Structure formats: C-alpha cells, structure tokens
Amino acid sequence: MQPRDIRFLRHVPKLDVTATGEVIAAVTHPDLATDQNVSVLREFSAADQPSRLLTRGPDDSNPQLSSCGRWLAFLRPAPATALDDSDPQATFADAPQLHVVDARGGEARCVTQLPLGVRDFRWLPNAEAFVLSAEVPHVGSYRRDIPAAAQQPRDLPPYI
C-alpha cells in the first residue's frame, strides 16, 4: 500500500440487516480534499448488484431499521440549542441528532433537538417510538466563565 492509496480505505463501524438480506451500513472513508472522514449510509444487496447510496452524509452513523422495515433511523450531526446560563441562544455545533428516512429513499427528517445530542438509540418493537440515551445539561450548574459546550455533562438519576 502506498500513501496515495489512503483514499481507497473504507471502514464499516455499524450495520443492520433487512428481513430480505440486504445490509445497510455506515461506510466511512477519508476525503483528502477536506482532510476529514466522510460517513454515508449505503445498502448492499445480497445479489450481485452495486450498492445503493441512502444518505449523503457527511457524518451519518448508527443505521437501524424499524421492525416493519419501512423506516431507517440514524444519527447525523445537526445544530442543537444549548442550555447555558450566560447565553440561552448558544448552540452546540454538530451534536448528533436522531434522523428518520423512508427505507426506500427520500429526505431525512430530524426527530430530536437535544442540547448535547443523542448518544445511542433503539427502535421500540412496534416501530412507533424510540428509546434513546442522551446527556442533558443542568440549567444553572455551569460556570459562567466557561462555555457550556466545553464543560463536562453531569450524571442525572435515571427517570422513566
């Protein structure tokens, strides 16, 4: 392998399998022009067909199909409003938010707007809702001299 071959590297950190055997995977590769990793969702058929691009990225991850197979949920960085004592309109850039798209294709819709983004999620068996894990900042507990985005989140007791 030569240094110029780095553009051909692909990494698949997470995937899901449909009921009919197709594989939906987050495929990450280096983009030399922007000096960043790009992650898109692709569908790979069990037959000898080329893969199908499902999302355009640039940082889509954690694909999960609903139990009915109609919906595809994934994480995508999106601006989220931050809770900050000094500036309630502050935003955290690129907090991973939960997005849903029709598994056959279409435009993804953001379904969360959490201050620090979503860490992980799972579909409920009926495919009508999600269970998710997210860090939630405490209003009033941040130091005013340090932006909320730079401070460590606090542990909250679990609530249901």
Side-chain angles (χ1 to χ4, degrees), residues 15-122:
L15 56 88
D16 201 359
V17 180
T18 68
T20 56
E22 287 85 12
V23 174
I24 296 178
V27 180
T28 303
H29 67 277
D31 182 358
L32 300 179
T34 62
D35 195 27
Q36 295 179 346
N37 284 328
V38 174
S39 181
V40 297
L41 302 184
R42 298 192 76 86
E43 179 182 55
F44 297 90
S45 175
D48 290 334
Q49 298 176 4
S51 66
R52 180 171 68 106
L53 184 66
L54 297 174
T55 65
R56 290 173 272 170
D59 198 13
D60 298 340
S61 64
N62 200 12
Q64 294 182 29
L65 278 169
S66 61
S67 58
C68 64
R70 180 172 179 204
W71 302 105
L72 174 65
F74 61 95
L75 297 179
R76 172 184 280 171
T81 302
L83 299 175
D84 184 337
D85 292 342
S86 62
D87 182 11
Q89 299 303 317
T91 57
F92 292 139
D94 301 334
Q97 301 296 332
L98 183 60
H99 287 70
V100 177
V101 66
D102 189 310
R104 296 169 295 187
E107 192 63 34
R109 183 171 54 106
C110 184
V111 296
T112 60
Q113 290 185 342
L114 296 169
L116 298 175
V118 175
R119 181 182 292 175
D120 198 12
F121 70 95
R122 294 288 180 266

Side-chain angles (χ1 to χ4, degrees), residues 115-148:
L116 298 175
V118 175
R119 181 182 292 175
D120 198 12
F121 70 95
R122 294 288 180 266
W123 284 97
L124 290 181
N126 62 7
E128 293 182 5
F130 300 94
V131 174
L132 57 88
S133 170
E135 296 170 350
V136 179
H138 288 189
V139 177
S141 65
Y142 289 100
R143 290 181 41 191
R144 293 184 185 272
D145 60 329
I146 300 175

